[in-house]
Amino acid sequence: MSFRGGGFNLKGNDGFLPPRHKIRRYSINFHHNFVKIMFFMVTITILCFLLNRSDHHIQKYTPFSLHKFYSADPASHENDENSLENTLKRASMKDHKTVILTTLNAAWTEEGSIFDLFMESFQIGIGTKSLLKHLVVIALDQKAYSRCLDVHPHCFALTTPGFDFSGNAHIKSNNYFKMIWRRVELLSYVLEMGYNFIFTDGDIMWLRDPFQRLDPEGDLNFASDIYRHNSTNLHNTPNAGFIYAKSNTRTIQFYKFWYAKKDDFPGGHDQPVLEKIKFDPFIQEMGVKIRFLDTAYVGGLCFPSKDLDVVVAMHANCCTVFKDKIHDIKLVLHDWKKYLENKTKSWASRSSWKCGLQEKPKTKIGGGGVQ
């Protein structure tokens, strides 16, 4: 290395400049190594971000993975026969671990009330009587549990300390909110135990076997309040009173997310919160496949199925007055019996219903749904 005229001259030990191609090779190698190092650092940064985000979701949306639901039945404290695990095992469809679940309280299980009508629908429905052996009734108070045991083999007594769910809770009452979210919590736990389920409200009359109408590609199948002629359209309005859920990591996370989101919408029960979260980006990240059932199959008093040849279930929704609900359910079952006798092809008593739409809806109806 020498300096001439104040200039800088790079030479090797023998006084000659190194070949130009060696300088170029060194420069290229340095550039490649720099790119590799930067790529490695960016990759590590992205992985750390994703892991931190994943940990955030796992911590936030796994609030009861180790939670145990104990029976309120005193006898279950002496033996495990009536535990939730054993009750589900006895009722399960042996081929694919599927159960049918409903929740009831004392007001709905009084003799001649909702529970009796619900059970009657299974007896007179097409292909539904055999499904009774897979039905588990979750009794929310001791009186409902005792009544269930009188008429059905698969009953589980679930109580919530500090709350009395025996009365007919108003839809906006504190008791109602607590009861509904307790149900969502329980259903999440059932999924964690490895069971698929159909959850059905007790005021849904089972008129046909619904399994034939479920989309097997869906992780979740929801009944619809408003159906827009496409089972994958998230703009369908879900009804949380009738749900089919497969047990897998996606549905478990979905239920935990749903339950956790109740805190973001205080004063809201499960269905309005469900309507809010179905578009949440985290739902897309889960990859959960949500499907909606046509109201032609699972309808309600608001939008009843027009075709009794295909109707699967009828929900006595749109009813806030308890006695009106019972009145309309009896008329629905009456019409169904007439249909089975080939004496009617429609809901002949609809004009006498006290709930639902008494006037034609403004929205265009077609094929059991809304366009």
Side-chain angles (χ1 to χ4, degrees):
M1 188 178 297
S2 64
F3 296 87
R4 292 180 181 176
F8 179 73
N9 187 23
L10 177 62
K11 292 185 178 181
N13 292 331
D14 54 0
F16 291 97
L17 289 170
R20 187 171 296 178
H21 72 275
K22 289 186 178 181
I23 296 175
R24 190 183 304 118
R25 185 182 301 164
Y26 174 81
S27 176
I28 291 172
N29 287 341
F30 175 81
H31 177 72
H32 282 179
N33 288 335
F34 178 78
V35 170
K36 287 180 181 179
I37 292 170
M38 290 302 297
F39 178 78
F40 177 76
M41 292 177 66
V42 169
T43 302
I44 293 297
T45 302
I46 292 173
L47 286 174
C48 288
F49 171 77
L50 292 176
L51 287 172
N52 286 337
R53 193 176 185 195
S54 175
D55 287 344
H56 167 73
H57 284 310
I58 291 171
Q59 290 170 8
K60 187 174 182 181
Y61 303 121
T62 54
F64 35 80
S65 59
L66 299 177
H67 185 67
K68 178 78 171 178
F69 283 86
Y70 291 102
S71 174
D73 176 17
S76 69
H77 300 307
E78 300 174 5
N79 62 74
D80 210 33
E81 181 183 354
N82 296 323
S83 68
L84 180 60
E85 293 89 338
N86 284 333
T87 303
L88 293 174
K89 185 176 180 180
R90 288 195 302 269
S92 172
M93 299 177 188
K94 304 305 178 186
D95 52 347
H96 44 70
K97 288 191 74 175
T98 300
V99 292
I100 301 167
L101 304 172
T102 193
T103 53
L104 294 167
N105 65 357
W108 281 32
T109 54
E110 291 180 2
E111 200 162 341
S113 190
I114 302 288
F115 183 43
D116 287 345
L117 297 171
F118 176 70
M119 298 295 281
E120 182 185 353
S121 75
F122 277 86
Q123 295 289 344
I124 65 175
I126 298 173
T128 53
K129 188 174 182 178
S130 62
L131 297 177
L132 276 172
K133 62 178 176 286
H134 305 299
L135 171 67
V136 175
V137 176
I138 309 295
L140 299 174
D141 57 78
Q142 193 61 43
K143 186 176 179 180
Y145 180 65
S146 299
R147 174 79 173 104
C148 178
L149 290 176
D150 289 341
V151 298
H152 190 64
H154 306 310
C155 308
F156 178 74
L158 176 70
T159 59
T160 302
F163 286 86
D164 177 12
F165 295 144
S166 60
N168 186 29
H170 188 272
I171 194 169
K172 292 186 177 181
S173 69
N174 209 31
N175 251 22
Y176 179 81
F177 292 143
K178 184 66 178 178
M179 181 167 57
I180 288 297
W181 287 112
R182 180 66 163 159
R183 181 177 81 186
V184 173
E185 186 181 19
L186 174 67
L187 293 178
S188 176
Y189 188 67
V190 171
L191 290 173
E192 286 188 284
M193 294 170 67
Y195 288 93
N196 313 314
F197 63 74
I198 287 184
F199 173 79
T200 172
D201 275 346
D203 59 349
I204 294 180
M205 300 299 105
W206 283 49
L207 306 177
R208 282 187 174 87
D209 180 352
F211 285 95
Q212 306 303 316
R213 296 297 183 182
L214 300 175
D215 185 341
E217 296 298 316
D219 295 315
L220 295 162
N221 282 234
F222 288 100
S224 307
D225 278 340
I226 298 177
Y227 182 75
R228 302 182 187 277
H229 299 279
N230 184 333
S231 66
T232 63
N233 187 350
L234 287 178
H235 291 282
N236 291 318
T237 305
N239 187 303
F242 190 94
I243 307 170
Y244 170 70
K246 292 179 183 177
S247 174
N248 57 42
T249 55
R250 295 181 298 275
T251 56
I252 293 169
Q253 280 295 89
F254 178 90
Y255 261 84
K256 289 172 180 174
F257 180 70
W258 187 6
Y259 181 82
K261 279 295 180 178
K262 74 183 190 305
D263 298 327
D264 293 349
F265 303 98
H269 61 81
D270 59 340
Q271 196 158 299
V273 174
L274 173 62
E275 180 65 23
K276 295 283 187 182
I277 69 168
K278 66 183 182 181
F279 296 108
D280 193 286
F282 187 50
I283 300 298
Q284 307 302 319
E285 290 178 27
M286 288 180 202
V288 63
K289 298 174 185 176
I290 300 175
R291 301 292 185 266
F292 298 90
L293 297 168
D294 194 331
T295 51
Y297 306 132
V298 182
L301 297 178
C302 285
F303 295 103
S305 171
K306 298 177 183 178
D307 189 352
L308 270 64
D309 287 334
V310 300
V311 64
V312 167
M314 187 67 160
H315 194 179
N317 53 5
C318 307
C319 268
T320 55
V321 180
F322 189 59
K323 64 179 182 179
D324 290 348
K325 185 187 290 283
I326 294 175
H327 172 272
D328 286 7
I329 290 175
K330 288 180 177 178
L331 290 179
V332 166
L333 293 182
H334 176 268
D335 286 351
W336 180 250
K337 292 173 186 176
K338 292 296 182 184
Y339 166 78
L340 295 176
E341 296 170 1
N342 294 316
K343 293 182 179 179
T344 185
K345 288 289 184 179
S346 65
W347 301 113
S349 67
R350 189 181 183 190
S351 61
S352 299
W353 293 357
K354 295 184 178 182
C355 308
L357 299 177
Q358 297 301 320
E359 299 178 358
K360 291 183 179 180
K362 296 179 181 179
T363 321
K364 185 179 177 182
I365 305 292
V370 176
Q371 294 177 334

